[in-house]
mmCIF file of all heavy atoms in Angstrom:
data_model
loop_
_atom_site.group_PDB
_atom_site.id
_atom_site.type_symbol
_atom_site.label_atom_id
_atom_site.label_comp_id
_atom_site.label_asym_id
_atom_site.label_seq_id
_atom_site.Cartn_x
_atom_site.Cartn_y
_atom_site.Cartn_z
ATOM 1 N N ARG A 1 105.816 88.883 109.028
ATOM 2 C CA ARG A 1 106.121 87.456 109.011
ATOM 3 C C ARG A 1 106.210 86.986 107.558
ATOM 4 O O ARG A 1 105.451 87.424 106.700
ATOM 5 C CB ARG A 1 105.039 86.667 109.749
ATOM 6 C CG ARG A 1 104.968 87.030 111.220
ATOM 7 C CD ARG A 1 103.945 86.218 111.991
ATOM 8 N NE ARG A 1 103.785 86.780 113.319
ATOM 9 C CZ ARG A 1 104.600 86.542 114.345
ATOM 10 N NH1 ARG A 1 105.614 85.711 114.177
ATOM 11 N NH2 ARG A 1 104.405 87.114 115.518
ATOM 12 N N THR A 2 107.158 86.111 107.301
ATOM 13 C CA THR A 2 107.280 85.500 105.988
ATOM 14 C C THR A 2 107.176 83.990 106.138
ATOM 15 O O THR A 2 107.363 83.448 107.230
ATOM 16 C CB THR A 2 108.615 85.868 105.317
ATOM 17 O OG1 THR A 2 109.705 85.434 106.154
ATOM 18 C CG2 THR A 2 108.719 87.375 105.090
ATOM 19 N N THR A 3 106.882 83.330 105.053
ATOM 20 C CA THR A 3 106.735 81.877 105.062
ATOM 21 C C THR A 3 107.664 81.277 104.017
ATOM 22 O O THR A 3 107.723 81.758 102.883
ATOM 23 C CB THR A 3 105.287 81.467 104.742
ATOM 24 O OG1 THR A 3 104.419 82.074 105.715
ATOM 25 C CG2 THR A 3 105.114 79.959 104.805
ATOM 26 N N GLY A 4 108.380 80.248 104.414
ATOM 27 C CA GLY A 4 109.351 79.631 103.517
ATOM 28 C C GLY A 4 110.717 80.255 103.689
ATOM 29 O O GLY A 4 110.838 81.425 104.087
ATOM 30 N N PRO A 5 111.775 79.501 103.413
ATOM 31 C CA PRO A 5 113.124 80.044 103.557
ATOM 32 C C PRO A 5 113.385 81.145 102.546
ATOM 33 O O PRO A 5 112.945 81.085 101.397
ATOM 34 C CB PRO A 5 114.023 78.828 103.304
ATOM 35 C CG PRO A 5 113.185 77.888 102.498
ATOM 36 C CD PRO A 5 111.774 78.104 102.951
ATOM 37 N N ALA A 6 114.104 82.183 102.972
ATOM 38 C CA ALA A 6 114.446 83.286 102.069
ATOM 39 C C ALA A 6 115.378 82.813 100.963
ATOM 40 O O ALA A 6 115.291 83.284 99.823
ATOM 41 C CB ALA A 6 115.099 84.420 102.857
ATOM 42 N N LYS A 7 116.243 81.893 101.282
ATOM 43 C CA LYS A 7 117.217 81.415 100.312
ATOM 44 C C LYS A 7 116.500 80.706 99.165
ATOM 45 O O LYS A 7 115.739 79.768 99.369
ATOM 46 C CB LYS A 7 118.191 80.460 100.993
ATOM 47 C CG LYS A 7 119.491 80.249 100.238
ATOM 48 C CD LYS A 7 120.498 79.524 101.110
ATOM 49 C CE LYS A 7 121.860 79.460 100.443
ATOM 50 N NZ LYS A 7 122.860 78.827 101.318
ATOM 51 N N GLY A 8 116.714 81.191 97.955
ATOM 52 C CA GLY A 8 116.097 80.573 96.787
ATOM 53 C C GLY A 8 114.748 81.150 96.408
ATOM 54 O O GLY A 8 114.194 80.803 95.367
ATOM 55 N N GLN A 9 114.200 82.053 97.246
ATOM 56 C CA GLN A 9 112.900 82.645 96.941
ATOM 57 C C GLN A 9 113.045 83.835 96.010
ATOM 58 O O GLN A 9 114.052 84.538 96.029
ATOM 59 C CB GLN A 9 112.194 83.126 98.219
ATOM 60 C CG GLN A 9 111.383 82.074 98.919
ATOM 61 C CD GLN A 9 110.314 82.695 99.814
ATOM 62 O OE1 GLN A 9 109.650 83.645 99.432
ATOM 63 N NE2 GLN A 9 110.157 82.130 101.005
ATOM 64 N N ASP A 10 112.009 84.060 95.190
ATOM 65 C CA ASP A 10 111.888 85.331 94.491
ATOM 66 C C ASP A 10 111.683 86.395 95.566
ATOM 67 O O ASP A 10 110.816 86.269 96.422
ATOM 68 C CB ASP A 10 110.688 85.270 93.542
ATOM 69 C CG ASP A 10 110.551 86.502 92.665
ATOM 70 O OD1 ASP A 10 110.596 87.616 93.216
ATOM 71 O OD2 ASP A 10 110.369 86.349 91.458
ATOM 72 N N GLN A 11 112.488 87.443 95.532
ATOM 73 C CA GLN A 11 112.444 88.460 96.583
ATOM 74 C C GLN A 11 111.443 89.581 96.297
ATOM 75 O O GLN A 11 111.387 90.571 97.037
ATOM 76 C CB GLN A 11 113.832 89.074 96.773
ATOM 77 C CG GLN A 11 114.887 88.079 97.228
ATOM 78 C CD GLN A 11 116.250 88.741 97.349
ATOM 79 O OE1 GLN A 11 116.413 89.792 97.972
ATOM 80 N NE2 GLN A 11 117.253 88.132 96.742
ATOM 81 N N SER A 12 110.660 89.432 95.242
ATOM 82 C CA SER A 12 109.708 90.481 94.877
ATOM 83 C C SER A 12 108.826 90.859 96.061
ATOM 84 O O SER A 12 108.344 89.998 96.801
ATOM 85 C CB SER A 12 108.822 90.010 93.726
ATOM 86 O OG SER A 12 109.591 89.622 92.610
ATOM 87 N N ASP A 13 108.579 92.160 96.205
ATOM 88 C CA ASP A 13 107.759 92.676 97.309
ATOM 89 C C ASP A 13 106.285 92.604 96.910
ATOM 90 O O ASP A 13 105.654 93.605 96.609
ATOM 91 C CB ASP A 13 108.171 94.114 97.621
ATOM 92 C CG ASP A 13 107.499 94.656 98.872
ATOM 93 O OD1 ASP A 13 106.986 93.844 99.667
ATOM 94 O OD2 ASP A 13 107.489 95.880 99.054
ATOM 95 N N VAL A 14 105.761 91.375 96.888
ATOM 96 C CA VAL A 14 104.378 91.168 96.464
ATOM 97 C C VAL A 14 103.565 90.557 97.602
ATOM 98 O O VAL A 14 104.103 89.958 98.526
ATOM 99 C CB VAL A 14 104.292 90.247 95.218
ATOM 100 C CG1 VAL A 14 104.910 90.930 94.013
ATOM 101 C CG2 VAL A 14 104.966 88.901 95.473
ATOM 102 N N TYR A 15 102.239 90.725 97.500
ATOM 103 C CA TYR A 15 101.300 90.191 98.484
ATOM 104 C C TYR A 15 100.285 89.322 97.765
ATOM 105 O O TYR A 15 100.049 89.483 96.558
ATOM 106 C CB TYR A 15 100.560 91.333 99.195
ATOM 107 C CG TYR A 15 101.453 92.275 99.960
ATOM 108 C CD1 TYR A 15 102.012 93.385 99.333
ATOM 109 C CD2 TYR A 15 101.727 92.070 101.302
ATOM 110 C CE1 TYR A 15 102.827 94.264 100.038
ATOM 111 C CE2 TYR A 15 102.534 92.941 102.014
ATOM 112 C CZ TYR A 15 103.088 94.043 101.364
ATOM 113 O OH TYR A 15 103.898 94.911 102.047
ATOM 114 N N GLN A 16 99.666 88.438 98.496
ATOM 115 C CA GLN A 16 98.658 87.566 97.902
ATOM 116 C C GLN A 16 97.391 88.355 97.564
ATOM 117 O O GLN A 16 97.062 89.335 98.244
ATOM 118 C CB GLN A 16 98.314 86.423 98.866
ATOM 119 C CG GLN A 16 99.440 85.418 99.021
ATOM 120 C CD GLN A 16 99.847 84.794 97.704
ATOM 121 O OE1 GLN A 16 99.020 84.247 96.972
ATOM 122 N NE2 GLN A 16 101.129 84.865 97.378
ATOM 123 N N PRO A 17 96.662 87.946 96.513
ATOM 124 C CA PRO A 17 95.393 88.614 96.199
ATOM 125 C C PRO A 17 94.462 88.621 97.405
ATOM 126 O O PRO A 17 94.373 87.641 98.149
ATOM 127 C CB PRO A 17 94.824 87.742 95.072
ATOM 128 C CG PRO A 17 96.016 87.101 94.449
ATOM 129 C CD PRO A 17 96.986 86.857 95.569
ATOM 130 N N GLY A 18 93.787 89.761 97.613
ATOM 131 C CA GLY A 18 92.885 89.896 98.747
ATOM 132 C C GLY A 18 93.498 90.646 99.915
ATOM 133 O O GLY A 18 92.787 90.996 100.861
ATOM 134 N N VAL A 19 94.800 90.904 99.856
ATOM 135 C CA VAL A 19 95.457 91.684 100.906
ATOM 136 C C VAL A 19 95.234 93.169 100.634
ATOM 137 O O VAL A 19 95.381 93.638 99.505
ATOM 138 C CB VAL A 19 96.964 91.382 100.962
ATOM 139 C CG1 VAL A 19 97.686 92.356 101.893
ATOM 140 C CG2 VAL A 19 97.207 89.956 101.418
ATOM 141 N N CYS A 20 94.857 93.915 101.669
ATOM 142 C CA CYS A 20 94.733 95.364 101.568
ATOM 143 C C CYS A 20 95.854 96.018 102.368
ATOM 144 O O CYS A 20 96.261 95.513 103.413
ATOM 145 C CB CYS A 20 93.367 95.833 102.087
ATOM 146 S SG CYS A 20 92.005 95.413 100.962
ATOM 147 N N LEU A 21 96.351 97.137 101.851
ATOM 148 C CA LEU A 21 97.474 97.833 102.467
ATOM 149 C C LEU A 21 97.007 99.130 103.110
ATOM 150 O O LEU A 21 96.204 99.867 102.528
ATOM 151 C CB LEU A 21 98.546 98.130 101.421
ATOM 152 C CG LEU A 21 99.093 96.915 100.659
ATOM 153 C CD1 LEU A 21 100.143 97.347 99.648
ATOM 154 C CD2 LEU A 21 99.669 95.876 101.620
ATOM 155 N N ALA A 22 97.517 99.398 104.286
ATOM 156 C CA ALA A 22 97.140 100.602 105.032
ATOM 157 C C ALA A 22 97.460 101.859 104.230
ATOM 158 O O ALA A 22 98.312 101.852 103.333
ATOM 159 C CB ALA A 22 97.875 100.639 106.371
ATOM 160 N N LEU A 23 96.763 102.929 104.567
ATOM 161 C CA LEU A 23 97.047 104.236 103.983
ATOM 162 C C LEU A 23 97.936 104.994 104.961
ATOM 163 O O LEU A 23 97.524 105.303 106.080
ATOM 164 C CB LEU A 23 95.749 104.999 103.734
ATOM 165 C CG LEU A 23 95.885 106.377 103.072
ATOM 166 C CD1 LEU A 23 96.459 106.250 101.663
ATOM 167 C CD2 LEU A 23 94.532 107.089 103.039
ATOM 168 N N VAL A 24 99.167 105.286 104.544
ATOM 169 C CA VAL A 24 100.133 105.966 105.404
ATOM 170 C C VAL A 24 100.700 107.157 104.630
ATOM 171 O O VAL A 24 101.412 106.980 103.636
ATOM 172 C CB VAL A 24 101.282 105.018 105.817
ATOM 173 C CG1 VAL A 24 102.267 105.757 106.711
ATOM 174 C CG2 VAL A 24 100.742 103.781 106.516
ATOM 175 N N ASN A 25 100.364 108.359 105.078
ATOM 176 C CA ASN A 25 100.864 109.574 104.430
ATOM 177 C C ASN A 25 100.613 109.553 102.920
ATOM 178 O O ASN A 25 101.511 109.824 102.113
ATOM 179 C CB ASN A 25 102.355 109.761 104.723
ATOM 180 C CG ASN A 25 102.644 109.960 106.190
ATOM 181 O OD1 ASN A 25 101.861 110.583 106.898
ATOM 182 N ND2 ASN A 25 103.748 109.427 106.664
ATOM 183 N N LYS A 26 99.391 109.184 102.554
ATOM 184 C CA LYS A 26 98.941 109.154 101.159
ATOM 185 C C LYS A 26 99.644 108.083 100.322
ATOM 186 O O LYS A 26 99.634 108.131 99.092
ATOM 187 C CB LYS A 26 99.114 110.521 100.487
ATOM 188 C CG LYS A 26 98.342 111.652 101.150
ATOM 189 C CD LYS A 26 98.509 112.957 100.397
ATOM 190 C CE LYS A 26 97.776 114.109 101.093
ATOM 191 N NZ LYS A 26 97.925 115.384 100.352
ATOM 192 N N GLY A 27 100.242 107.120 101.011
ATOM 193 C CA GLY A 27 100.907 106.025 100.325
ATOM 194 C C GLY A 27 100.592 104.710 101.008
ATOM 195 O O GLY A 27 99.918 104.672 102.037
ATOM 196 N N PRO A 28 101.069 103.584 100.453
ATOM 197 C CA PRO A 28 100.770 102.278 101.033
ATOM 198 C C PRO A 28 101.625 101.945 102.236
ATOM 199 O O PRO A 28 102.793 102.328 102.314
ATOM 200 C CB PRO A 28 101.056 101.313 99.869
ATOM 201 C CG PRO A 28 102.100 102.015 99.061
ATOM 202 C CD PRO A 28 101.803 103.478 99.178
ATOM 203 N N GLY A 29 101.015 101.235 103.194
ATOM 204 C CA GLY A 29 101.718 100.735 104.365
ATOM 205 C C GLY A 29 101.640 99.224 104.418
ATOM 206 O O GLY A 29 101.654 98.550 103.394
ATOM 207 N N GLY A 30 101.512 98.688 105.635
ATOM 208 C CA GLY A 30 101.427 97.254 105.809
ATOM 209 C C GLY A 30 100.007 96.741 105.676
ATOM 210 O O GLY A 30 99.054 97.516 105.577
ATOM 211 N N PRO A 31 99.834 95.417 105.658
ATOM 212 C CA PRO A 31 98.506 94.818 105.493
ATOM 213 C C PRO A 31 97.529 95.204 106.606
ATOM 214 O O PRO A 31 97.905 95.272 107.776
ATOM 215 C CB PRO A 31 98.802 93.311 105.521
ATOM 216 C CG PRO A 31 100.215 93.197 105.079
ATOM 217 C CD PRO A 31 100.898 94.396 105.669
ATOM 218 N N VAL A 32 96.282 95.462 106.221
ATOM 219 C CA VAL A 32 95.190 95.742 107.154
ATOM 220 C C VAL A 32 93.938 95.055 106.620
ATOM 221 O O VAL A 32 93.901 94.593 105.476
ATOM 222 C CB VAL A 32 94.913 97.252 107.300
ATOM 223 C CG1 VAL A 32 96.095 97.966 107.946
ATOM 224 C CG2 VAL A 32 94.574 97.884 105.959
ATOM 225 N N GLY A 33 92.904 94.995 107.447
ATOM 226 C CA GLY A 33 91.633 94.446 106.997
ATOM 227 C C GLY A 33 91.019 95.331 105.920
ATOM 228 O O GLY A 33 91.045 96.559 106.023
ATOM 229 N N CYS A 34 90.437 94.719 104.894
ATOM 230 C CA CYS A 34 89.886 95.499 103.789
ATOM 231 C C CYS A 34 88.635 96.280 104.183
ATOM 232 O O CYS A 34 88.239 97.208 103.462
ATOM 233 C CB CYS A 34 89.573 94.584 102.605
ATOM 234 S SG CYS A 34 91.042 93.912 101.797
ATOM 235 N N ASN A 35 88.004 95.931 105.312
ATOM 236 C CA ASN A 35 86.836 96.687 105.751
ATOM 237 C C ASN A 35 87.223 98.004 106.412
ATOM 238 O O ASN A 35 86.378 98.853 106.675
ATOM 239 C CB ASN A 35 85.990 95.848 106.722
ATOM 240 C CG ASN A 35 86.761 95.454 107.962
ATOM 241 O OD1 ASN A 35 87.971 95.216 107.907
ATOM 242 N ND2 ASN A 35 86.080 95.354 109.082
ATOM 243 N N THR A 36 88.514 98.175 106.690
ATOM 244 C CA THR A 36 89.006 99.445 107.217
ATOM 245 C C THR A 36 89.538 100.284 106.055
ATOM 246 O O THR A 36 89.750 99.786 104.958
ATOM 247 C CB THR A 36 90.133 99.222 108.233
ATOM 248 O OG1 THR A 36 91.242 98.596 107.567
ATOM 249 C CG2 THR A 36 89.678 98.319 109.365
ATOM 250 N N GLU A 37 89.734 101.571 106.310
ATOM 251 C CA GLU A 37 90.263 102.427 105.250
ATOM 252 C C GLU A 37 91.665 101.951 104.849
ATOM 253 O O GLU A 37 92.506 101.684 105.696
ATOM 254 C CB GLU A 37 90.309 103.881 105.719
ATOM 255 C CG GLU A 37 88.922 104.503 105.858
ATOM 256 C CD GLU A 37 88.983 106.002 106.119
ATOM 257 O OE1 GLU A 37 90.088 106.514 106.412
ATOM 258 O OE2 GLU A 37 87.930 106.656 106.023
ATOM 259 N N HIS A 38 91.884 101.883 103.548
ATOM 260 C CA HIS A 38 93.159 101.387 103.048
ATOM 261 C C HIS A 38 93.540 102.105 101.757
ATOM 262 O O HIS A 38 92.747 102.863 101.187
ATOM 263 C CB HIS A 38 93.098 99.875 102.821
ATOM 264 C CG HIS A 38 91.993 99.429 101.916
ATOM 265 N ND1 HIS A 38 90.723 99.131 102.380
ATOM 266 C CD2 HIS A 38 91.940 99.258 100.565
ATOM 267 C CE1 HIS A 38 89.948 98.775 101.364
ATOM 268 N NE2 HIS A 38 90.666 98.859 100.248
ATOM 269 N N SER A 39 94.756 101.877 101.298
ATOM 270 C CA SER A 39 95.261 102.544 100.095
ATOM 271 C C SER A 39 95.062 101.678 98.857
ATOM 272 O O SER A 39 94.499 102.131 97.856
ATOM 273 C CB SER A 39 96.748 102.869 100.265
ATOM 274 O OG SER A 39 97.499 101.680 100.485
ATOM 275 N N TYR A 40 95.530 100.465 98.911
ATOM 276 C CA TYR A 40 95.447 99.536 97.786
ATOM 277 C C TYR A 40 94.839 98.217 98.234
ATOM 278 O O TYR A 40 95.023 97.787 99.378
ATOM 279 C CB TYR A 40 96.837 99.214 97.236
ATOM 280 C CG TYR A 40 97.469 100.254 96.349
ATOM 281 C CD1 TYR A 40 98.800 100.638 96.544
ATOM 282 C CD2 TYR A 40 96.765 100.818 95.281
ATOM 283 C CE1 TYR A 40 99.397 101.579 95.720
ATOM 284 C CE2 TYR A 40 97.365 101.754 94.451
ATOM 285 C CZ TYR A 40 98.674 102.133 94.679
ATOM 286 O OH TYR A 40 99.264 103.059 93.854
ATOM 287 N N GLU A 41 94.181 97.547 97.298
ATOM 288 C CA GLU A 41 93.825 96.142 97.467
ATOM 289 C C GLU A 41 94.543 95.371 96.371
ATOM 290 O O GLU A 41 94.475 95.720 95.188
ATOM 291 C CB GLU A 41 92.325 95.921 97.357
ATOM 292 C CG GLU A 41 91.933 94.457 97.549
ATOM 293 C CD GLU A 41 90.434 94.235 97.682
ATOM 294 O OE1 GLU A 41 89.692 95.238 97.734
ATOM 295 O OE2 GLU A 41 90.011 93.067 97.736
ATOM 296 N N ILE A 42 95.258 94.336 96.766
ATOM 297 C CA ILE A 42 95.972 93.510 95.806
ATOM 298 C C ILE A 42 94.976 92.580 95.128
ATOM 299 O O ILE A 42 94.273 91.818 95.800
ATOM 300 C CB ILE A 42 97.081 92.685 96.492
ATOM 301 C CG1 ILE A 42 97.985 93.579 97.348
ATOM 302 C CG2 ILE A 42 97.886 91.914 95.450
ATOM 303 C CD1 ILE A 42 98.652 94.712 96.625
ATOM 304 N N VAL A 43 94.918 92.652 93.813
ATOM 305 C CA VAL A 43 93.962 91.819 93.071
ATOM 306 C C VAL A 43 94.655 90.668 92.360
ATOM 307 O O VAL A 43 93.982 89.750 91.852
ATOM 308 C CB VAL A 43 93.151 92.658 92.063
ATOM 309 C CG1 VAL A 43 92.337 93.718 92.800
ATOM 310 C CG2 VAL A 43 94.042 93.317 91.011
ATOM 311 N N GLY A 44 95.958 90.676 92.306
ATOM 312 C CA GLY A 44 96.681 89.580 91.672
ATOM 313 C C GLY A 44 98.165 89.877 91.583
ATOM 314 O O GLY A 44 98.630 90.966 91.942
ATOM 315 N N ILE A 45 98.912 88.907 91.112
ATOM 316 C CA ILE A 45 100.360 89.024 90.933
ATOM 317 C C ILE A 45 100.681 88.717 89.474
ATOM 318 O O ILE A 45 100.185 87.735 88.910
ATOM 319 C CB ILE A 45 101.119 88.054 91.853
ATOM 320 C CG1 ILE A 45 100.851 88.395 93.322
ATOM 321 C CG2 ILE A 45 102.618 88.080 91.569
ATOM 322 C CD1 ILE A 45 101.389 87.355 94.294
ATOM 323 N N ALA A 46 101.492 89.565 88.858
ATOM 324 C CA ALA A 46 101.924 89.360 87.482
ATOM 325 C C ALA A 46 103.411 89.027 87.473
ATOM 326 O O ALA A 46 104.209 89.690 88.136
ATOM 327 C CB ALA A 46 101.656 90.607 86.646
ATOM 328 N N ASP A 47 103.783 87.995 86.730
ATOM 329 C CA ASP A 47 105.176 87.551 86.640
ATOM 330 C C ASP A 47 105.757 88.019 85.313
ATOM 331 O O ASP A 47 105.487 87.445 84.255
ATOM 332 C CB ASP A 47 105.247 86.032 86.754
ATOM 333 C CG ASP A 47 106.677 85.507 86.797
ATOM 334 O OD1 ASP A 47 107.615 86.324 86.655
ATOM 335 O OD2 ASP A 47 106.861 84.293 86.975
ATOM 336 N N LEU A 48 106.554 89.086 85.370
ATOM 337 C CA LEU A 48 107.169 89.616 84.147
ATOM 338 C C LEU A 48 108.265 88.703 83.611
ATOM 339 O O LEU A 48 108.633 88.795 82.447
ATOM 340 C CB LEU A 48 107.738 91.010 84.417
ATOM 341 C CG LEU A 48 106.703 92.130 84.514
ATOM 342 C CD1 LEU A 48 107.352 93.408 85.057
ATOM 343 C CD2 LEU A 48 106.053 92.388 83.171
#
């Protein structure tokens, strides 16, 4: 699910801080609860 219209949005594949990503074949998957096993936890977003 996404929030806000796609038109005009930055399309960067980023998640909000506090989101944890599933571990799928030794790589990241979709969001899961951080109390479960996961690959990454997003700690912030950097705007280059």
